[in-house]
């Protein structure tokens, strides 16, 4: 595996990641309660709900950023 293949993933990988980012944004739009997830419940006992709310908000920001950065590249290719 060369460094070039790590820095420039294939179009299939980008499409897959774009679908996951879109799913994350969709879950936010339909107001999915992330606190109901089993992993979130487990982590809330350790670090608190406010910390996890910030974590999920940052995931939304990363997802929107990924869509904004990579969707144009896929549309133009």
């Amino acid at each position: 595996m060369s460094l070039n293949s790590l820095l420039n993933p294939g179009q299939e990988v980008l499409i897959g990641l774009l679908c996951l980012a879109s799913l994350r944004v969709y879950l936010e739009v339909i107001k999915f309660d992330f606190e109901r997830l089993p992993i979130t419940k487990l982590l809330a006992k350790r670090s608190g709900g406010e910390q996890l709310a910030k974590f999920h908000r940052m995931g939304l920001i990363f997802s929107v950023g990924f869509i904004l950065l990579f969707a144009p590249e896929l549309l133009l290719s």
Side-chain angles (χ1 to χ4, degrees), residues 2-72:
S2 68
L3 182 60
N4 189 29
S5 66
L6 288 174
L7 295 177
N8 298 319
Q11 191 171 12
E12 297 84 11
V13 174
L14 289 179
I15 290 172
L17 292 173
L18 190 62
C19 289
L20 290 174
S22 300
L23 176 65
R24 173 62 181 92
V25 172
Y26 173 73
L27 289 175
E28 189 69 33
V29 168
I30 65 168
K31 306 229 183 278
F32 180 78
D33 185 16
F34 290 100
E35 294 178 9
R36 292 187 316 174
L37 295 172
I39 294 175
T40 304
K41 286 180 185 177
L42 180 68
L43 291 174
K45 293 178 184 175
R46 293 183 180 177
S47 62
E50 185 178 314
Q51 181 88 9
L52 289 172
K54 289 180 184 178
F55 174 77
H56 286 297
R57 181 65 51 193
M58 192 57 96
L60 174 66
I61 292 169
F62 284 145
S63 295
V64 170
F66 186 83
I67 291 169
L68 290 176
L69 288 175
F70 289 101

